[in-house]
Amino acid sequence: MAIPKVAIVGIGHSKYGKRGKLINEDIEGEKATYPAVTIRELAHESYFPALEHAGITNNDIKASVIGIAAEAFAGQGAAAALIADEVGIIGKPTMRVETACATGSTAIRTAWAQIASGQFDVMAAIGVETMTWVSTAYATELMSVAGDHRWEYPYGISFPTFYSLYAARKMAVDGLTRDQLSAVSVKSHYYGYYNKLAHLRRKVSIEDANQAVPIALPLRLYDCCLISDGAATVILANEEKAKEMSSDPLWITGLGCSSDTMRVTDRPNLTNLGGSVRAAEMAYKQSGRSPKDIDVAYVHDCFSVAEVMAYEDLGFCERGQGGKWAEERGPYIDGPGVPVNVDGGLKSKGHPLGATGIGQVVDAYKQVFGTAEKERQVPDAKVALCHNVGQHGQFVNVFILEP
Amino acid sequence: MSEPQLGLVQELSSDVKHRQRMTAEFRKFIDGLKEGKFLATECKSCGKKFMPPRFTCPCGGKDLEWFEVNPEGTLYTWSIVHFAPEGIAKKTNVPYAVGVIEFEDNLLLTGHIKGLTSKPKVGMKVKIEPQELDTGDLAYFIKPA
């Protein structure tokens, strides 16, 4: 069943990274400088380009949804009010949404629903997070308290630990190997290297990843995504407005979502994420698409094992074969399967929680309209899929996007 | 950084107590621990069993019955944690091992693993033991059987 027509008509994406300090980047002689910013300027950096891209002004924006996963990171309560004010969307409805690491895509889903219901015609979904202001130990704490506070947190289950419980189980049940996990990270860093907006533009080898410091074994440093600052914005419009204002609207043809049990021990298995399977099924059904139709995919690779599970849960390879598929270059542009995370993913591009799900859609737009850096541009990409997971599957959004 | 040393997990803390100071129903689980018992619940409407115990069932059932779980099982999965959340790092040295024990009826419970003499292995025989800590708090640990 087709869903109401809503399109992405404007995109903006800040540089991801440790944005509290000046960044001087020099990649193969190509130099770039990014000033030190706060959560305010980060919002500007993604919002105004999105507005300009859509060819409109703040007068055209009827309401906004702001994605911020944890206000404690920025030390700003009622942060949606601050961000909406900063970018000048004043006197119009705004709200903050939160679904942990899926906050960004939930901001899009919420704006989509307000447009699809006919309440507003043009809206902004802005995701922003500053995470490097606090110590790594405190950042780990802020993410760990998202575990069940009675049955999980007291046992020191950090966020990487949840996924390491999946990794150890998947190794035992599916034969997932250390090299296969590393193959995922090597691929992410390969594409992230060519993405000018990525946080960590550094190529890594299988050996680097295999021997990196342990974080929560079996997971090591290069199995884990970055802690980043960043912002991303999309402007959404209903069918009439999208056709009027944009020559290149990107339509949301599938919008699947699901959830899962709070406790990891209440799941039927620890080798896949049921929420991802259910959300993908919904999105495929709405769009009439199947995994073989997808030209480029963005999957939630908060950890290497999460990306392996996503390959399987989204139907890019057989169940239990995700590790093997990574090793066989399935997710590469020149590989045999669907190119995955050609922006570098959460691993290399970075994971500013509230921005991440919007950042995926921004890059999908670039890929579909052929404006990504040439080294990471998928030729003739038309149908894109974005998969954004909160916690370890408690919140999942899957979007199918088409021109 | 060196490879993890095993079996060095230190005891948890008042954080456990803080989160266990809850409801009359949860107190029943704690009282069970004091007697060395691991109590789970079973829904009288649909028959589903819950460890950790739930006090309402997703089927809508509100009549759940306590039963004792055999504390022996197998290791379902594991992790060795090298970077602890700040609140835990204050109380526990890294690295520490955590795992999930699988009891009969496919019931699973998360906990610290103590007393490891080699790398944890999925499927190894383990048991769960309650323990009173120096702080007077009750905790439980997964140990090789």
Side-chain angles (χ1 to χ4, degrees):
Chain A
M1 189 191 82
I3 55 175
K5 289 197 86 171
V6 175
I8 309 294
V9 295
I11 56 165
H13 196 300
S14 82
K15 170 75 172 174
Y16 284 1
K18 289 187 179 175
R19 297 299 310 278
K21 290 181 181 157
L22 175 81
I23 298 172
N24 279 311
E25 206 167 67
D26 183 350
I27 304 283
E28 295 177 17
E30 197 174 313
K31 295 191 168 90
T33 300
Y34 301 93
V37 292
T38 72
I39 195 167
R40 299 163 193 260
E41 294 81 15
L42 272 176
H44 299 170
E45 210 176 300
S46 76
Y47 180 73
F48 295 121
L51 208 56
E52 192 177 332
H53 177 227
I56 57 174
T57 69
N58 269 341
N59 289 336
D60 300 299
I61 302 289
K62 304 300 179 4
S64 61
V65 181
I66 316 292
I68 294 177
E71 293 179 329
F73 278 120
Q76 173 66 55
L82 176 82
I83 299 302
D85 178 289
E86 273 293 327
V87 300
I89 316 174
I90 298 171
K92 297 166 182 180
T94 191
M95 64 193 295
R96 172 187 165 222
V97 295
E98 181 277 308
T99 54
C101 308
T103 292
S105 55
T106 297
I108 292 178
R109 179 154 69 90
T110 307
W112 177 91
Q114 292 181 22
I115 293 172
S117 70
Q119 194 175 17
F120 303 113
D121 55 6
V122 183
M123 286 183 67
I126 307 170
V128 58
E129 206 89 39
T130 52
M131 302 177 71
T132 69
W133 271 232
V134 301
S135 72
T136 302
Y138 186 55
T140 307
E141 174 78 10
L142 285 177
M143 289 182 272
S144 301
V145 293
D148 185 314
H149 74 172
R150 183 186 279 171
W151 298 106
E152 294 177 333
Y153 172 86
Y155 302 98
I157 317 283
S158 66
F159 213 70
T161 309
F162 278 115
Y163 277 95
S164 69
L165 295 174
Y166 277 92
R169 183 73 191 168
K170 205 162 172 63
M171 285 172 157
V173 173
D174 291 343
L176 176 68
T177 68
R178 176 63 263 170
D179 278 357
Q180 290 172 349
L181 288 177
S182 295
V184 173
S185 310
V186 168
K187 186 261 310 164
S188 301
H189 276 280
Y190 175 80
Y191 289 121
Y193 179 79
Y194 295 109
N195 183 352
K196 288 177 182 149
L197 300 177
H199 177 164
L200 191 63
R201 301 178 65 189
R202 179 196 297 161
K203 291 182 187 173
V204 304
S205 68
I206 294 276
E207 294 71 33
D208 293 336
N210 281 350
Q211 288 157 23
V213 294
I215 301 295
L217 289 173
L219 300 180
R220 293 171 180 273
L221 183 65
Y222 284 111
D223 294 306
C224 305
C225 66
L226 301 167
I227 293 175
S228 315
D229 311 316
T233 297
V234 292
I235 309 294
L236 299 101
N238 68 12
E239 185 173 11
E240 186 191 341
K241 284 285 179 183
K243 286 179 173 167
E244 180 187 310
M245 69 172 62
S246 176
S247 52
D248 290 325
L250 183 65
W251 301 97
I252 301 173
T253 59
L255 190 146
C257 39
S258 192
S259 71
D260 213 329
T261 66
M262 179 64 178
R263 284 178 297 282
V264 69
T265 49
D266 288 343
R267 307 274 169 98
N269 67 59
L270 292 188
T271 52
N272 80 305
L273 296 183
S276 295
V277 174
R278 290 184 287 274
E281 264 173 20
M282 191 189 293
Y284 284 137
K285 197 170 174 189
Q286 290 167 342
S287 61
R289 296 293 185 180
S290 71
K292 66 173 174 17
D293 298 321
I294 306 300
D295 297 318
V296 60
Y298 296 81
V299 310
H300 195 86
D301 62 320
C302 49
F303 299 93
S304 53
V305 65
E307 179 159 335
V308 170
M309 290 193 286
Y311 299 154
E312 301 172 15
D313 295 342
L314 300 170
F316 300 157
C317 66
E318 294 295 315
R319 168 101 27 242
Q321 299 297 303
K324 188 161 167 275
W325 196 69
E327 218 166 23
E328 291 169 350
R329 295 179 60 85
Y332 278 84
I333 292 173
D334 57 357
V338 183
V340 177
N341 291 356
V342 293
D343 60 346
L346 284 57
K347 177 70 207 78
S348 170
K349 185 169 96 166
H351 186 20
L353 308 178
T356 295
I358 299 179
Q360 290 178 326
V361 172
V362 169
D363 208 76
Y365 190 103
K366 291 181 189 173
Q367 286 289 337
V368 167
F369 292 107
T371 60
E373 291 87 344
K374 66 178 188 324
E375 296 87 349
R376 62 178 198 89
Q377 173 68 49
V378 177
D380 302 318
K382 287 286 169 270
V383 184
L385 179 148
C386 297
H387 162 254
N388 191 201
V389 176
Q391 308 251 91
H392 43 97
Q394 282 91 325
F395 311 101
V396 186
N397 293 311
V398 173
F399 300 151
I400 310 253
L401 305 159
E402 306 182 48
Chain B
M1 183 175 291
S2 62
E3 283 297 299
Q5 291 179 286
L6 299 170
L8 290 179
V9 181
Q10 294 202 344
E11 288 168 358
L12 268 170
S13 61
S14 54
D15 278 6
V16 175
K17 191 177 190 178
H18 170 69
R19 288 172 170 85
Q20 288 177 346
R21 192 199 308 131
M22 294 273 174
T23 60
E25 287 163 319
F26 185 56
R27 180 52 59 190
K28 179 115 181 150
F29 177 82
I30 300 294
D31 288 345
L33 278 187
K34 281 183 192 160
E35 295 169 21
K37 292 177 185 168
F38 281 84
L39 298 179
T41 55
E42 179 175 354
C43 176
K44 287 175 90 170
S45 302
C46 73
K48 197 163 165 48
K49 295 174 176 175
F50 299 103
M51 171 59 96
R54 288 180 74 112
F55 311 116
T56 58
C57 182
C59 82
K62 295 205 171 42
D63 193 4
L64 285 89
E65 203 162 48
W66 291 91
F67 70 97
E68 190 179 343
V69 172
N70 177 349
E72 294 186 357
T74 54
L75 192 65
Y76 188 77
T77 188
W78 58 271
S79 174
I80 296 169
V81 183
H82 284 253
F83 288 89
E86 193 174 74
I88 298 295
K90 286 175 189 160
K91 318 283 187 185
T92 305
N93 291 338
V94 291
Y96 54 86
V98 299
V100 173
I101 180 172
E102 182 172 16
F103 303 109
E104 58 198 9
D105 296 326
N106 308 108
L107 295 175
L108 303 176
L109 187 65
T110 306
H112 267 165
I113 311 176
K114 263 182 125 178
L116 282 170
T117 52
S118 60
K119 197 179 158 188
K121 206 168 176 237
V122 170
M124 70 188 276
K125 294 218 175 301
V126 289
K127 61 185 173 184
I128 194 150
E129 270 184 16
Q131 187 177 324
E132 192 173 335
L133 305 179
D134 293 342
T135 56
D137 298 325
L138 280 160
Y140 48 82
F141 294 93
I142 298 170
K143 294 180 175 176

